[in-house]
Amino acid sequence: MRLPALSRWSARDRPKLAVMPTALITGAGRGIGSAIAAALAPTHTLLLAGRPSPGLDAVSRRLGATALRLDLADAAATQAVAATVSELDVLVHNAGVSRPGRVAETDINDWRVTFDVNVFGAVALTLALLPALRRAHGHVVFINSGSGRRVSPGMACYSASKFALRAFADALRDDEPALRVTTVYPGRTATDMQRELVAYEGGEYEPGKFLRPETVAAVVAGVLKTPPDGDIHEVVVRPAV
């Protein structure tokens, strides 16, 4: 995959391009991902990754960021994107998919699709970017879910994928002591995914009952501001209503 107008990012180049640290955010075209991008824009040079969409292009233009066309289920695309990044300060794993359903309502394809993006995609991108993260002594943030701490009814494969993602984050923290690794567990958040879940549950979608994406983004921005003598492993945030 060829990425037009994207040069190799390195510490050597930063004086020419920006003095700010670089952050790569997946699933940045909407919802929590776009809110995190907006929250980090004043302090970071942004690489916004996601499947090609008008939303991703719009967020990138608005924030003056570089859009990276990336399907996390495509291993070749993941390697191509990682090859353009030689040093990376922050990696935010936000992209995810959800296929609501109790165990008996799912089929094996639901599980494969969910794990391909939520787990294998995150693992593949992390492995590909590990050299760049090591050079910067970087910070990896995983946007998990309350379903990654307690299984949610009707969310069988999604919950299982989030438990797996939690385990990967813990393993990464243990195995890469030069990196900081944080898992954020938001409660139910007002996003398109939440709208689909409420429809599956047969309820009426009322955004005011859920966390705002901007609230989750503020938590992420706060984590990244942690002084060097601190290391935040986990953050749990829930709606106040």
Side-chain angles (χ1 to χ4, degrees):
M1 183 181 72
R2 189 181 182 91
L3 298 175
L6 179 63
S7 60
R8 181 174 294 275
W9 293 78
S10 69
R12 181 187 62 192
D13 297 328
R14 281 182 188 162
K16 303 174 187 176
L17 300 174
V19 296
M20 296 188 292
T22 300
L24 191 157
I25 305 165
T26 68
R30 60 180 181 169
I32 293 174
S34 63
I36 292 173
L40 299 189
T43 54
H44 291 74
T45 297
L46 298 179
L47 306 177
L48 305 185
R51 292 174 177 171
S53 70
L56 180 64
D57 291 338
V59 173
S60 300
R61 284 195 302 269
R62 175 166 55 87
L63 299 178
T66 298
L68 304 180
R69 275 63 177 181
L70 174 62
D71 181 348
L72 285 172
D74 184 337
T78 297
Q79 290 293 332
V81 165
T84 68
V85 183
S86 63
E87 188 167 324
L88 185 64
D89 300 279
V90 176
L91 172 60
V92 180
H93 285 294
N94 169 74
V97 298
S98 170
R99 292 197 169 191
R102 297 179 181 272
V103 172
E105 297 170 340
T106 65
D107 59 37
I108 194 61
N109 187 59
D110 293 323
W111 292 80
R112 288 193 174 114
V113 169
T114 302
F115 271 71
D116 272 349
V117 175
N118 295 3
V119 184
F120 303 141
V123 172
L125 185 60
T126 302
L127 293 177
L129 289 171
L130 201 51
L133 288 162
R134 285 170 174 161
R135 291 185 194 105
H137 297 278
H139 198 151
V140 184
V141 179
F142 293 86
I143 305 302
N144 199 293
S145 166
S147 296
R149 293 174 60 86
R150 182 176 180 179
V151 174
S152 299
M155 299 290 286
C157 52
Y158 179 77
S159 294
S161 74
K162 290 299 186 178
F163 267 79
L165 189 65
R166 175 185 182 180
F168 175 63
D170 291 345
L172 181 65
R173 185 183 303 110
D174 287 345
D175 291 345
E176 295 290 332
L179 305 183
R180 292 205 282 189
V181 178
T182 304
T183 295
V184 178
Y185 299 94
R188 299 182 71 160
T189 306
T191 62
D192 291 341
M193 184 183 293
Q194 195 63 235
R195 187 189 300 273
E196 293 167 2
L197 176 58
V198 171
Y200 166 79
E201 294 170 335
E204 182 177 346
Y205 180 67
E206 300 180 51
K209 291 184 176 180
F210 306 124
L211 287 168
R212 295 183 304 120
E214 292 77 11
T215 300
V216 180
V219 170
V220 172
V223 164
L224 295 176
K225 292 177 183 176
T226 304
D229 62 324
D231 190 358
I232 298 177
H233 290 192
E234 295 185 333
V235 180
V236 178
V237 55
R238 295 287 182 265
V241 294

